[in-house]
């Protein structure tokens, strides 16, 4: 996989600090003797229209970072800004609204509802998000989201009739139907074989290139991280390293694997 992209500086020029910014974010799980510092003073931005991969050993804080950045979890310290809005300063209700309207999330497990068709699964969050930017989220948007992931023909299928890769693509369509400012994906290819992973990764890359879909993906697979513009490495809750990639996926995968090996050594 090779592609050619605009220079990063041009794409991010209007919004230098990112759609989502973490400033000095700390997260302590639990309290007292059982307290675990999962994130320790993490400062990081996700520029609009870019794909960032978060890597790091198991337990390094990747999922916690994603949950805090997506407003699903509250940092113990520091600030998370979404399109310039301080999430911590919002009411619980407003935060939930912002999450529904502006953030998309996919997980390793697709979490599709088996009794619903692909289209109905995609429509589900749209119902909650309701109106945005003056328009309603309806049948057209659902169809467009399924087209974007290449599953227009499977709209009427139930999840069990779809392959794992297709189910993850439905989950992606569901995350994208509200046109979120940012898509967060936690190990989106973790349950898929190599070939199907490649399908999902190419799709993520295409959404970034063609629709400027800002995307943040946690992965422990160097081949997955290789499709990103930037790879951020976590270790013990801190940013240990960072790598900017140029679109040569084979070379990038080797470079990412080498950095990971150094972290795990
Ligand atoms: N809800 C929780 N309660 C207590 N500890 C947690 C919780 N979630 C994560 N942790 C701990 O925080 C650290 C980071 O976890 P996590 O963010 O899941 O890492 P990763 O996704 O990189 O594997 C780990 O030590 C983990 O055990
Ligand atoms: Mg995790």
């Amino acid at each position: 996989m090779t592609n050619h992209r605009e220079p990063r500086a041009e794409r991010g020029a209007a919004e230098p600090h990112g759609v989502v910014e973490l400033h000095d974010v700390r997260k302590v799980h639990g309290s007292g003797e059982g307290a675990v510092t999962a994130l320790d003073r993490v400062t990081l931005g996700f520029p609009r229209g870019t794909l960032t991969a978060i890597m790091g050993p198991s337990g390094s804080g990747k999922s916690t970072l994603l949950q805090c950045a997506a407003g699903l979890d509250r940092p113990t310290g520091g600030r998370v800004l979404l399109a310039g809005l301080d999430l911590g300063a919002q009411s619980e209700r407003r935060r939930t609204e912002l999450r529904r309207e502006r953030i998309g999330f996919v997980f390793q497990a697709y979490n599709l509802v088996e009794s619903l068709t692909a289209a109905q699964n995609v429509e589900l969050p749209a119902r909650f998000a309701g109106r945005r930017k003056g328009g309603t989220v309806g049948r057209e948007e659902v169809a467009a989201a399924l087209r974007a992931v290449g599953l227009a023909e499977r709209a009427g299928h139930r999840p069990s009739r779809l392959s794992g890769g297709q189910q993850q693509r439905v989950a992606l369509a569901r995350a994208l139907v509200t046109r979120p400012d940012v898509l967060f994906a936690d190990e989106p290819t973790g349950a898929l074989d190599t070939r199907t992973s490649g399908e999902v990764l190419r799709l993520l890359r295409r959404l970034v290139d063609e629709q400027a879909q800002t995307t943040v993906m946690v992965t422990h697979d160097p081949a997955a991280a290789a499709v990103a513009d930037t790879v951020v490495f976590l270790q013990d809750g801190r940013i240990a390293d960072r790598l900017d990639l140029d679109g040569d996926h084979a070379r990038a995968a080797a470079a990412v694997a080498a950095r990971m090996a150094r972290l795990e050594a």
Side-chain angles (χ1 to χ4, degrees):
M1 286 189 276
T2 304
N3 54 29
H4 301 281
R5 303 200 284 266
E6 304 274 301
R8 219 171 317 271
E10 280 174 35
R11 278 180 291 138
E15 209 172 29
H17 303 300
V19 180
V20 176
E21 296 174 31
L22 285 75
H23 292 277
D24 227 10
V25 167
R26 241 175 93 75
K27 177 67 188 183
V28 180
H29 290 295
S31 59
E33 283 190 12
V36 176
T37 302
L39 293 177
D40 194 9
R41 309 198 60 176
V42 169
T43 295
L44 180 61
F46 305 119
R48 196 170 284 272
T50 65
L51 174 52
T52 305
I54 311 284
M55 291 199 87
S58 178
S60 58
K62 303 183 295 295
S63 292
T64 303
L65 189 154
L66 225 59
Q67 302 268 333
C68 287
L72 290 166
D73 202 351
R74 273 198 124 114
T76 311
R79 294 188 310 149
V80 177
L81 304 184
L82 170 62
L85 282 171
D86 185 344
L87 285 182
Q90 313 299 317
S91 67
E92 188 67 43
R93 182 177 169 166
R94 182 69 188 126
R95 226 152 37 99
T96 303
E97 272 174 17
L98 284 168
R99 211 165 51 223
R100 283 182 181 155
E101 292 171 3
R102 293 174 171 260
I103 288 177
F105 218 116
V106 292
F107 302 91
Q108 176 172 337
Y110 327 120
N111 300 316
L112 300 177
V113 180
E114 181 50 42
S115 61
L116 301 180
T117 64
Q120 288 166 336
N121 268 284
V122 172
E123 192 192 342
L124 220 48
R127 281 201 203 148
F128 291 111
R131 286 156 195 281
R132 171 145 190 240
K133 291 173 185 162
T136 52
V137 179
R139 204 169 286 239
E140 239 338 284
E141 281 85 350
V142 170
L146 281 169
R147 266 200 309 277
V149 301
L151 288 176
E153 266 85 74
R154 310 293 164 108
H157 286 37
R158 297 198 193 282
S160 58
R161 292 191 52 209
L162 301 171
S163 70
Q166 289 171 337
Q167 290 185 54
Q168 187 59 299
R169 278 148 63 195
V170 173
L172 261 171
R174 179 182 56 186
L176 294 172
V177 73
T178 53
R179 303 206 180 199
D181 286 320
V182 54
L183 172 71
F184 291 103
D186 196 348
E187 305 269 9
T189 60
L192 303 175
D193 61 38
T194 310
R195 191 180 56 80
T196 322
S197 292
E199 247 170 59
V200 170
L201 293 167
R202 273 192 295 277
L203 172 59
L204 284 173
R205 185 67 247 177
R206 194 157 54 74
L207 291 165
V208 179
D209 290 337
E210 293 176 6
Q211 300 180 23
Q213 176 62 59
T214 310
T215 302
V216 182
M217 166 177 68
V218 161
T219 181
H220 58 246
D221 177 7
V227 306
D229 298 299
T230 303
V231 187
V232 174
F233 297 85
L234 284 184
Q235 187 175 37
D236 298 329
R238 294 174 190 231
I239 296 177
D241 208 346
R242 178 188 171 101
L243 198 56
D244 288 321
L245 305 177
D246 64 3
D248 179 333
H249 297 154
R251 199 174 53 198
V256 170
R259 299 263 177 135
M260 268 303 282
R262 216 184 303 158
L263 282 188
E264 283 170 337

